[in-house]
Amino acid sequence: MKCKTHILQFVFVALLAGDALGQNVVLTNDDGWAVAQIRAQRDSLVDAGFNVVLSAPAENESGTGSSSAPAKPLTQACEFNTCPKGSPAEGFNASDTRLNYVNSYPVDAVRYGIQTLAPEFFGSAPEFVVSGPNVGSERPNLGSVTRLSGTVGAACEAAKEGIPSAAFSASSLSQVSYTTLTSAPNSPGTLSALLYAELTTTFTRALLASTARPILPPGVTLNVNYAKTTFSSSGAPNGDCASTDDVRFVLTRIQSGSGKDVNTCGSTTLPTESKVVGAGCFASVSVMNATTKADVDATTQAAVLARLQGLLSCFDQ
């Protein structure tokens, strides 16, 4: 089954590669507007033809879940000194006004992107919100951890505002400045950031490829988690997870369950995201209720399965 799904995925991604979509996307995270991963993600989405505006916290706000508070002027410099103490509550990069910070939580940053920046830059609401990929270490945002994740919280907020969204989390990243993308282009951190960015762009293109609407059922978001990459300290591939071709997307559930899920791959019980991500070079895709942050019913899962049919693989382990 793995060989067959590998071929189908290759054909599916190849068909997507020629599209210049021009779709409007708000990009956010919980790690801050100047971290390397979000800038790599912005570049990847733009290179793929998306119309992107970045709206993310001024500082690292990891672990803040769905917290919310009014944005306030900066009492200290922004992340990596990217804006000075005393800067306004919301601001932007002077050389690229599509790069925006909000001095508050991820929920507030994505709300600002949807309600203020999207009308300004797109003339309408965004078609999709990409939250992340989150900077992680050994374990990304899996299982009960999702309730604490600001990356997931931002995606849930978007869904509650009626905007389709997905939260993406990685396992091999560090909290480093975007400047490392050029100052250390062959480092494992940079190579991992670029790989995760490309995977997220591929996933976003697959999800938005069909003109059928809605993109996702109302009131849900997707929780996508990537396995750890395998690069040596010099940046050389050093294992079976050093290329986008190595990664298999698998439909999962957040918590364990039995016989409650959509019928796929010969089963009505989806594997948990923790099991899948821990098994090798996989990316888990769970369908989440944006209000409760819990698993959804089989009918809702089926709608997502149909949308991503060409991208998803069976989990044979």
Side-chain angles (χ1 to χ4, degrees):
M1 177 63 72
K2 184 178 285 189
C3 291
K4 181 179 178 181
T5 52
H6 186 178
I7 294 169
L8 289 174
Q9 282 186 319
F10 178 81
V11 172
F12 182 69
V13 172
L15 289 173
L16 291 176
D19 295 336
L21 300 177
Q23 290 156 312
N24 299 326
V25 172
V26 167
L27 175 62
T28 192
N29 69 359
D30 70 358
D31 298 304
W33 79 312
V35 76
Q37 182 62 67
I38 198 169
R39 298 300 179 91
Q41 189 60 64
R42 196 288 294 261
D43 292 347
S44 178
L45 287 167
V46 170
D47 289 346
F50 289 98
N51 193 16
V52 182
V53 63
L54 185 155
S55 182
E59 288 284 350
N60 181 4
E61 297 289 349
S62 296
T64 55
S66 291
S67 299
S68 177
K72 297 180 180 180
L74 275 294
T75 58
Q76 60 184 18
C78 280
E79 183 176 53
F80 307 119
N81 293 311
T82 47
C83 67
K85 176 181 177 180
S87 295
E90 295 98 4
F92 53 85
N93 187 307
S95 61
D96 186 347
T97 58
R98 287 177 177 248
L99 301 175
N100 290 261
Y101 73 79
V102 176
N103 189 33
S104 192
Y105 296 110
V107 161
D108 304 296
V110 76
R111 189 181 293 137
Y112 183 73
I114 293 168
Q115 297 181 0
T116 301
L117 298 174
E120 176 183 343
F121 288 101
F122 307 149
S124 65
E127 292 172 78
F128 194 67
V129 166
V130 171
S131 186
N134 179 71
V135 172
S137 53
E138 294 298 322
R139 303 290 290 176
N141 286 318
L142 301 166
S144 59
V145 175
T146 57
R147 297 181 179 276
L148 304 176
S149 166
T151 299
V152 173
C156 289
E157 175 63 24
K160 288 187 281 188
E161 297 203 18
I163 309 300
S165 64
F168 300 87
S169 299
S171 304
S172 299
L173 296 172
S174 300
Q175 188 79 20
V176 296
S177 169
Y178 71 93
T179 58
T180 61
L181 296 172
T182 52
S183 65
N186 297 315
S187 70
T190 292
L191 294 174
S192 295
L194 296 175
L195 189 154
Y196 291 135
E198 187 176 349
L199 287 169
T200 299
T201 298
T202 296
F203 184 92
T204 303
R205 295 182 76 161
L207 188 65
L208 273 60
S210 171
T211 57
R213 295 295 184 267
I215 294 169
L216 293 173
V220 306
T221 188
L222 304 181
N223 188 40
V224 180
N225 284 275
Y226 299 123
K228 192 174 181 65
T229 59
T230 53
F231 294 105
S232 69
S233 58
S234 65
N238 187 31
D240 62 356
C241 207
S243 163
T244 55
D245 291 338
D246 296 332
V247 182
R248 302 287 167 264
F249 288 92
V250 176
L251 189 64
T252 56
R253 57 182 295 114
I254 303 163
Q255 304 288 354
S256 60
S258 178
K260 303 176 182 179
D261 299 318
V262 60
N263 191 342
T264 182
C265 298
S267 175
T268 55
T269 301
L270 294 175
T272 63
E273 52 193 18
S274 295
K275 181 178 182 179
V276 168
V277 172
C281 196
F282 294 98
S284 64
V285 182
S286 298
V287 190
M288 173 187 287
N289 182 303
T291 301
T292 65
K293 299 182 181 177
D295 287 296
V296 300
D297 59 31
T299 301
T300 308
Q301 291 170 343
V304 175
L305 174 63
R307 192 92 189 183
L308 292 172
Q309 191 72 57
L311 188 67
L312 296 172
S313 295
C314 292
F315 182 66
D316 299 329
Q317 300 187 30

